[in-house]
Amino acid sequence: MITSGLVNVFTHDVLEALEFYVGRLGLTETFRTPTEGLPEHVELAAGGFVLAISSAEAARRVHGLEAQVGSPAMSLVFWVDDVDATYQDLTSRGVVGHTEPHDTGNDNRNAVVLDPAGTLVELVAKRG
């Protein structure tokens, strides 16, 4: 029986990824290994969602995984209060914008930015 889960994003630079996810998006670090020195795996909380950032090199060494860093086979989706304001804040602080804020179906407003490794990060809010 599955009791919980998380999404694991692979990167070549865990500290750079943490600057983005903690420093710019405001997620909270909940776990890190190793606890001393350069981390290879860090877990972050976003409400009830857990996002893990892992070194692609550690994934290869420990698990035999060949992670394709930044390959857009998926996107991370974060609900925000105001897509336009969040997108503007992030891009003004150097985050690369991919898709500017726009209206979509289901009364949603969306935008997409890139994390430092090129992973798609979608921002969503209800319009009005």
Side-chain angles (χ1 to χ4, degrees):
M1 169 187 260
I2 296 173
T3 60
S4 66
L6 58 82
V7 172
N8 199 5
V9 173
F10 295 102
T11 183
H12 295 298
D13 190 334
V14 173
L15 295 178
E16 181 182 52
L18 289 175
E19 171 56 31
F20 176 78
Y21 288 103
V22 175
R24 299 189 187 236
L25 291 184
L27 278 63
T28 303
E29 184 175 321
T30 60
F31 174 81
R32 170 186 292 234
T33 189
T35 56
E36 299 293 324
L38 187 64
E40 293 184 337
H41 177 87
V42 178
E43 294 178 11
L44 309 170
F49 176 73
V50 178
L51 173 66
I53 306 299
S54 294
S55 160
E57 292 72 23
R60 183 179 309 108
R61 184 184 75 250
V62 176
H63 302 292
L65 298 175
E66 292 298 329
Q68 299 297 314
V69 173
S71 180
M74 58 160 267
S75 66
L76 296 172
V77 178
F78 293 104
W79 286 84
V80 299
D81 292 327
D82 183 327
V83 168
D84 293 77
T86 303
Y87 182 88
Q88 176 60 38
D89 176 59
L90 291 171
T91 57
S92 73
R93 293 189 289 142
V95 172
V96 175
H98 183 276
T99 307
E100 292 189 5
H102 59 284
D103 293 337
T104 61
N106 297 323
D107 203 31
N108 289 343
R109 186 138 176 93
N110 297 56
V112 179
V113 297
L114 301 178
D115 83 355
T119 301
L120 300 167
V121 178
E122 186 174 354
L123 310 169
V124 185
K126 286 293 182 190
R127 287 193 311 265

